[in-house]
PDB file of all heavy atoms in Angstrom:
ATOM      1  N   ASN A  63      10.340  -1.950   1.045  1.00  0.00           N
ATOM      2  CA  ASN A  63      11.566  -1.171   0.993  1.00  0.00           C
ATOM      3  C   ASN A  63      12.702  -2.148   0.518  1.00  0.00           C
ATOM      4  O   ASN A  63      13.513  -1.757  -0.350  1.00  0.00           O
ATOM      5  CB  ASN A  63      11.977  -0.492   2.273  1.00  0.00           C
ATOM      6  CG  ASN A  63      11.110   0.693   2.602  1.00  0.00           C
ATOM      7  OD1 ASN A  63      10.422   1.198   1.660  1.00  0.00           O
ATOM      8  ND2 ASN A  63      10.978   1.037   3.886  1.00  0.00           N
ATOM      9  N   TYR A  64      12.760  -3.381   1.034  1.00  0.00           N
ATOM     10  CA  TYR A  64      13.796  -4.271   0.571  1.00  0.00           C
ATOM     11  C   TYR A  64      13.583  -4.638  -0.880  1.00  0.00           C
ATOM     12  O   TYR A  64      14.552  -4.811  -1.647  1.00  0.00           O
ATOM     13  CB  TYR A  64      13.702  -5.577   1.399  1.00  0.00           C
ATOM     14  CG  TYR A  64      14.160  -5.415   2.863  1.00  0.00           C
ATOM     15  CD1 TYR A  64      13.613  -6.127   3.945  1.00  0.00           C
ATOM     16  CD2 TYR A  64      15.127  -4.452   3.152  1.00  0.00           C
ATOM     17  CE1 TYR A  64      14.001  -5.922   5.178  1.00  0.00           C
ATOM     18  CE2 TYR A  64      15.439  -4.220   4.474  1.00  0.00           C
ATOM     19  CZ  TYR A  64      14.953  -4.990   5.482  1.00  0.00           C
ATOM     20  OH  TYR A  64      15.360  -4.874   6.786  1.00  0.00           O
ATOM     21  N   ARG A  65      12.335  -4.845  -1.318  1.00  0.00           N
ATOM     22  CA  ARG A  65      12.089  -5.147  -2.730  1.00  0.00           C
ATOM     23  C   ARG A  65      12.594  -4.042  -3.678  1.00  0.00           C
ATOM     24  O   ARG A  65      13.175  -4.279  -4.713  1.00  0.00           O
ATOM     25  CB  ARG A  65      10.628  -5.468  -3.006  1.00  0.00           C
ATOM     26  CG  ARG A  65      10.232  -6.834  -2.524  1.00  0.00           C
ATOM     27  CD  ARG A  65       8.709  -7.044  -2.789  1.00  0.00           C
ATOM     28  NE  ARG A  65       8.477  -8.469  -2.283  1.00  0.00           N
ATOM     29  CZ  ARG A  65       7.178  -8.832  -2.140  1.00  0.00           C
ATOM     30  NH1 ARG A  65       6.134  -8.106  -2.546  1.00  0.00           N
ATOM     31  NH2 ARG A  65       6.946 -10.015  -1.721  1.00  0.00           N
ATOM     32  N   ALA A  66      12.225  -2.796  -3.245  1.00  0.00           N
ATOM     33  CA  ALA A  66      12.715  -1.682  -4.033  1.00  0.00           C
ATOM     34  C   ALA A  66      14.320  -1.535  -4.038  1.00  0.00           C
ATOM     35  O   ALA A  66      14.798  -1.204  -5.148  1.00  0.00           O
ATOM     36  CB  ALA A  66      12.151  -0.320  -3.452  1.00  0.00           C
ATOM     37  N   GLU A  67      14.922  -1.849  -2.934  1.00  0.00           N
ATOM     38  CA  GLU A  67      16.323  -1.834  -2.926  1.00  0.00           C
ATOM     39  C   GLU A  67      16.872  -2.906  -3.846  1.00  0.00           C
ATOM     40  O   GLU A  67      17.912  -2.599  -4.564  1.00  0.00           O
ATOM     41  CB  GLU A  67      16.847  -2.020  -1.514  1.00  0.00           C
ATOM     42  CG  GLU A  67      16.707  -0.827  -0.632  1.00  0.00           C
ATOM     43  CD  GLU A  67      17.089  -1.079   0.782  1.00  0.00           C
ATOM     44  OE1 GLU A  67      17.624  -2.133   1.125  1.00  0.00           O
ATOM     45  OE2 GLU A  67      16.820  -0.305   1.615  1.00  0.00           O
ATOM     46  N   VAL A  68      16.313  -4.139  -3.818  1.00  0.00           N
ATOM     47  CA  VAL A  68      16.833  -5.208  -4.728  1.00  0.00           C
ATOM     48  C   VAL A  68      16.592  -4.860  -6.182  1.00  0.00           C
ATOM     49  O   VAL A  68      17.462  -5.067  -7.030  1.00  0.00           O
ATOM     50  CB  VAL A  68      16.083  -6.427  -4.346  1.00  0.00           C
ATOM     51  CG1 VAL A  68      16.371  -7.558  -5.426  1.00  0.00           C
ATOM     52  CG2 VAL A  68      16.585  -7.012  -2.977  1.00  0.00           C
ATOM     53  N   GLN A  69      15.477  -4.197  -6.522  1.00  0.00           N
ATOM     54  CA  GLN A  69      15.240  -3.887  -7.864  1.00  0.00           C
ATOM     55  C   GLN A  69      16.269  -2.823  -8.289  1.00  0.00           C
ATOM     56  O   GLN A  69      16.704  -2.787  -9.435  1.00  0.00           O
ATOM     57  CB  GLN A  69      13.797  -3.318  -7.967  1.00  0.00           C
ATOM     58  CG  GLN A  69      12.791  -4.468  -7.994  1.00  0.00           C
ATOM     59  CD  GLN A  69      11.296  -3.891  -8.099  1.00  0.00           C
ATOM     60  OE1 GLN A  69      11.096  -2.691  -7.999  1.00  0.00           O
ATOM     61  NE2 GLN A  69      10.415  -4.817  -8.262  1.00  0.00           N
ATOM     62  N   GLN A  70      16.493  -1.814  -7.532  1.00  0.00           N
ATOM     63  CA  GLN A  70      17.489  -0.803  -7.827  1.00  0.00           C
ATOM     64  C   GLN A  70      18.903  -1.467  -8.093  1.00  0.00           C
ATOM     65  O   GLN A  70      19.642  -1.100  -8.919  1.00  0.00           O
ATOM     66  CB  GLN A  70      17.621   0.292  -6.755  1.00  0.00           C
ATOM     67  CG  GLN A  70      16.473   1.224  -6.741  1.00  0.00           C
ATOM     68  CD  GLN A  70      16.473   2.171  -5.619  1.00  0.00           C
ATOM     69  OE1 GLN A  70      17.328   2.070  -4.621  1.00  0.00           O
ATOM     70  NE2 GLN A  70      15.543   3.078  -5.542  1.00  0.00           N
ATOM     71  N   GLU A  71      19.211  -2.438  -7.183  1.00  0.00           N
ATOM     72  CA  GLU A  71      20.513  -3.164  -7.382  1.00  0.00           C
ATOM     73  C   GLU A  71      20.612  -3.878  -8.603  1.00  0.00           C
ATOM     74  O   GLU A  71      21.585  -3.821  -9.332  1.00  0.00           O
ATOM     75  CB  GLU A  71      20.669  -4.016  -6.032  1.00  0.00           C
ATOM     76  CG  GLU A  71      22.064  -4.756  -6.077  1.00  0.00           C
ATOM     77  CD  GLU A  71      23.077  -3.982  -5.642  1.00  0.00           C
ATOM     78  OE1 GLU A  71      22.962  -2.916  -5.043  1.00  0.00           O
ATOM     79  OE2 GLU A  71      24.307  -4.362  -5.932  1.00  0.00           O
ATOM     80  N   LEU A  72      19.507  -4.566  -8.961  1.00  0.00           N
ATOM     81  CA  LEU A  72      19.530  -5.327 -10.198  1.00  0.00           C
ATOM     82  C   LEU A  72      19.521  -4.401 -11.352  1.00  0.00           C
ATOM     83  O   LEU A  72      20.255  -4.721 -12.383  1.00  0.00           O
ATOM     84  CB  LEU A  72      18.246  -6.167 -10.235  1.00  0.00           C
ATOM     85  CG  LEU A  72      18.204  -7.416  -9.326  1.00  0.00           C
ATOM     86  CD1 LEU A  72      16.890  -8.000  -9.416  1.00  0.00           C
ATOM     87  CD2 LEU A  72      19.264  -8.425  -9.629  1.00  0.00           C
ATOM     88  N   ALA A  73      18.850  -3.295 -11.324  1.00  0.00           N
ATOM     89  CA  ALA A  73      18.874  -2.363 -12.477  1.00  0.00           C
ATOM     90  C   ALA A  73      20.312  -1.774 -12.630  1.00  0.00           C
ATOM     91  O   ALA A  73      20.803  -1.627 -13.829  1.00  0.00           O
ATOM     92  CB  ALA A  73      17.905  -1.242 -12.278  1.00  0.00           C
ATOM     93  N   ARG A  74      20.922  -1.449 -11.539  1.00  0.00           N
ATOM     94  CA  ARG A  74      22.332  -0.925 -11.521  1.00  0.00           C
ATOM     95  C   ARG A  74      23.249  -1.964 -12.179  1.00  0.00           C
ATOM     96  O   ARG A  74      24.084  -1.628 -13.016  1.00  0.00           O
ATOM     97  CB  ARG A  74      22.789  -0.497 -10.170  1.00  0.00           C
ATOM     98  CG  ARG A  74      24.153   0.205 -10.161  1.00  0.00           C
ATOM     99  CD  ARG A  74      24.628   0.492  -8.698  1.00  0.00           C
ATOM    100  NE  ARG A  74      24.619  -0.695  -7.900  1.00  0.00           N
ATOM    101  CZ  ARG A  74      25.618  -1.629  -7.900  1.00  0.00           C
ATOM    102  NH1 ARG A  74      26.701  -1.490  -8.674  1.00  0.00           N
ATOM    103  NH2 ARG A  74      25.566  -2.599  -7.068  1.00  0.00           N
ATOM    104  N   GLU A  75      23.125  -3.268 -11.670  1.00  0.00           N
ATOM    105  CA  GLU A  75      24.065  -4.316 -12.205  1.00  0.00           C
ATOM    106  C   GLU A  75      23.751  -4.503 -13.778  1.00  0.00           C
ATOM    107  O   GLU A  75      24.753  -4.669 -14.504  1.00  0.00           O
ATOM    108  CB  GLU A  75      23.831  -5.629 -11.403  1.00  0.00           C
ATOM    109  CG  GLU A  75      24.285  -5.586 -10.000  1.00  0.00           C
ATOM    110  CD  GLU A  75      24.027  -6.798  -9.266  1.00  0.00           C
ATOM    111  OE1 GLU A  75      23.473  -7.742  -9.871  1.00  0.00           O
ATOM    112  OE2 GLU A  75      24.393  -6.849  -8.115  1.00  0.00           O
ATOM    113  N   MET A  76      22.504  -4.496 -14.167  1.00  0.00           N
ATOM    114  CA  MET A  76      22.279  -4.684 -15.573  1.00  0.00           C
ATOM    115  C   MET A  76      22.764  -3.570 -16.379  1.00  0.00           C
ATOM    116  O   MET A  76      23.274  -3.744 -17.494  1.00  0.00           O
ATOM    117  CB  MET A  76      20.719  -4.773 -15.761  1.00  0.00           C
ATOM    118  CG  MET A  76      20.113  -6.088 -15.159  1.00  0.00           C
ATOM    119  SD  MET A  76      18.297  -6.186 -15.429  1.00  0.00           S
ATOM    120  CE  MET A  76      18.149  -6.203 -17.151  1.00  0.00           C
ATOM    121  N   ALA A  77      22.695  -2.339 -15.892  1.00  0.00           N
ATOM    122  CA  ALA A  77      23.219  -1.165 -16.567  1.00  0.00           C
ATOM    123  C   ALA A  77      24.766  -1.361 -16.697  1.00  0.00           C
ATOM    124  O   ALA A  77      25.371  -1.008 -17.712  1.00  0.00           O
ATOM    125  CB  ALA A  77      22.837   0.130 -15.842  1.00  0.00           C
ATOM    126  N   GLU A  78      25.436  -1.791 -15.552  1.00  0.00           N
ATOM    127  CA  GLU A  78      26.909  -1.999 -15.554  1.00  0.00           C
ATOM    128  C   GLU A  78      27.347  -2.935 -16.588  1.00  0.00           C
ATOM    129  O   GLU A  78      28.166  -2.859 -17.444  1.00  0.00           O
ATOM    130  CB  GLU A  78      27.388  -2.265 -14.206  1.00  0.00           C
ATOM    131  CG  GLU A  78      27.366  -1.152 -13.264  1.00  0.00           C
ATOM    132  CD  GLU A  78      27.768  -1.517 -11.841  1.00  0.00           C
ATOM    133  OE1 GLU A  78      28.065  -2.706 -11.643  1.00  0.00           O
ATOM    134  OE2 GLU A  78      27.853  -0.640 -11.000  1.00  0.00           O
ATOM    135  N   ASN A  79      26.504  -4.146 -16.596  1.00  0.00           N
ATOM    136  CA  ASN A  79      26.760  -5.218 -17.553  1.00  0.00           C
ATOM    137  C   ASN A  79      26.556  -4.775 -18.958  1.00  0.00           C
ATOM    138  O   ASN A  79      27.346  -5.086 -19.936  1.00  0.00           O
ATOM    139  CB  ASN A  79      25.872  -6.437 -17.211  1.00  0.00           C
ATOM    140  CG  ASN A  79      26.316  -7.078 -16.060  1.00  0.00           C
ATOM    141  OD1 ASN A  79      27.450  -6.874 -15.467  1.00  0.00           O
ATOM    142  ND2 ASN A  79      25.426  -7.906 -15.452  1.00  0.00           N
ATOM    143  N   ALA A  80      25.448  -3.983 -19.302  1.00  0.00           N
ATOM    144  CA  ALA A  80      25.249  -3.529 -20.578  1.00  0.00           C
ATOM    145  C   ALA A  80      26.297  -2.541 -21.051  1.00  0.00           C
ATOM    146  O   ALA A  80      26.776  -2.607 -22.145  1.00  0.00           O
ATOM    147  CB  ALA A  80      23.903  -2.890 -20.667  1.00  0.00           C
ATOM    148  N   ALA A  81      26.735  -1.760 -20.102  1.00  0.00           N
ATOM    149  CA  ALA A  81      27.807  -0.837 -20.568  1.00  0.00           C
ATOM    150  C   ALA A  81      29.067  -1.542 -20.781  1.00  0.00           C
ATOM    151  O   ALA A  81      29.909  -1.215 -21.736  1.00  0.00           O
ATOM    152  CB  ALA A  81      28.083   0.209 -19.420  1.00  0.00           C
ATOM    153  N   ALA A  82      29.423  -2.545 -19.974  1.00  0.00           N
ATOM    154  CA  ALA A  82      30.646  -3.324 -20.145  1.00  0.00           C
ATOM    155  C   ALA A  82      30.576  -4.100 -21.452  1.00  0.00           C
ATOM    156  O   ALA A  82      31.491  -4.144 -22.289  1.00  0.00           O
ATOM    157  CB  ALA A  82      30.906  -4.217 -18.988  1.00  0.00           C
ATOM    158  N   GLU A  83      29.387  -4.713 -21.794  1.00  0.00           N
ATOM    159  CA  GLU A  83      29.333  -5.426 -23.034  1.00  0.00           C
ATOM    160  C   GLU A  83      29.172  -4.568 -24.209  1.00  0.00           C
ATOM    161  O   GLU A  83      29.726  -4.903 -25.319  1.00  0.00           O
ATOM    162  CB  GLU A  83      28.013  -6.322 -23.019  1.00  0.00           C
ATOM    163  CG  GLU A  83      28.070  -7.500 -22.059  1.00  0.00           C
ATOM    164  CD  GLU A  83      26.718  -8.266 -21.984  1.00  0.00           C
ATOM    165  OE1 GLU A  83      25.815  -7.882 -22.650  1.00  0.00           O
ATOM    166  OE2 GLU A  83      26.683  -9.175 -21.169  1.00  0.00           O
ATOM    167  N   GLY A  84      28.662  -3.300 -24.064  1.00  0.00           N
ATOM    168  CA  GLY A  84      28.498  -2.320 -25.103  1.00  0.00           C
ATOM    169  C   GLY A  84      29.892  -1.877 -25.508  1.00  0.00           C
ATOM    170  O   GLY A  84      30.138  -1.609 -26.722  1.00  0.00           O
ATOM    171  N   SER A  85      30.805  -1.685 -24.565  1.00  0.00           N
ATOM    172  CA  SER A  85      32.130  -1.187 -24.986  1.00  0.00           C
ATOM    173  C   SER A  85      32.937  -2.221 -25.633  1.00  0.00           C
ATOM    174  O   SER A  85      33.650  -1.932 -26.565  1.00  0.00           O
ATOM    175  CB  SER A  85      32.840  -0.628 -23.723  1.00  0.00           C
ATOM    176  OG  SER A  85      33.091  -1.719 -22.783  1.00  0.00           O
ATOM    177  N   THR A  86      32.705  -3.475 -25.257  1.00  0.00           N
ATOM    178  CA  THR A  86      33.520  -4.554 -25.962  1.00  0.00           C
ATOM    179  C   THR A  86      32.783  -4.847 -27.281  1.00  0.00           C
ATOM    180  O   THR A  86      33.599  -5.240 -28.246  1.00  0.00           O
ATOM    181  CB  THR A  86      33.602  -5.838 -25.116  1.00  0.00           C
ATOM    182  OG1 THR A  86      32.292  -6.210 -24.755  1.00  0.00           O
ATOM    183  CG2 THR A  86      34.407  -5.542 -23.799  1.00  0.00           C
ATOM    184  N   ASP A  87      31.518  -4.870 -27.453  1.00  0.00           N
ATOM    185  CA  ASP A  87      30.833  -5.215 -28.583  1.00  0.00           C
ATOM    186  C   ASP A  87      30.820  -4.088 -29.664  1.00  0.00           C
ATOM    187  O   ASP A  87      30.802  -4.311 -30.838  1.00  0.00           O
ATOM    188  CB  ASP A  87      29.379  -5.547 -28.361  1.00  0.00           C
ATOM    189  CG  ASP A  87      29.248  -6.942 -27.592  1.00  0.00           C
ATOM    190  OD1 ASP A  87      30.214  -7.693 -27.605  1.00  0.00           O
ATOM    191  OD2 ASP A  87      28.131  -7.178 -27.048  1.00  0.00           O
ATOM    192  N   ALA A  88      31.030  -2.785 -29.130  1.00  0.00           N
ATOM    193  CA  ALA A  88      31.040  -1.803 -30.173  1.00  0.00           C
ATOM    194  C   ALA A  88      32.343  -1.792 -31.081  1.00  0.00           C
ATOM    195  O   ALA A  88      32.222  -1.527 -32.288  1.00  0.00           O
ATOM    196  CB  ALA A  88      31.102  -0.423 -29.375  1.00  0.00           C
ATOM    197  N   ALA A  89      33.389  -2.208 -30.457  1.00  0.00           N
ATOM    198  CA  ALA A  89      34.549  -2.345 -31.359  1.00  0.00           C
ATOM    199  C   ALA A  89      34.504  -3.532 -32.262  1.00  0.00           C
ATOM    200  O   ALA A  89      34.920  -3.491 -33.402  1.00  0.00           O
ATOM    201  CB  ALA A  89      35.870  -2.445 -30.395  1.00  0.00           C
TER     202      ALA A  89
END
Side-chain angles (χ1 to χ4, degrees):
N63 289 339
Y64 290 148
R65 285 182 181 167
E67 288 175 8
V68 167
Q69 287 178 352
Q70 288 175 352
E71 181 77 18
L72 289 174
R74 185 184 56 80
E75 288 177 5
M76 289 176 64
E78 288 176 357
N79 289 342
E83 289 177 2
S85 63
T86 58
D87 289 343

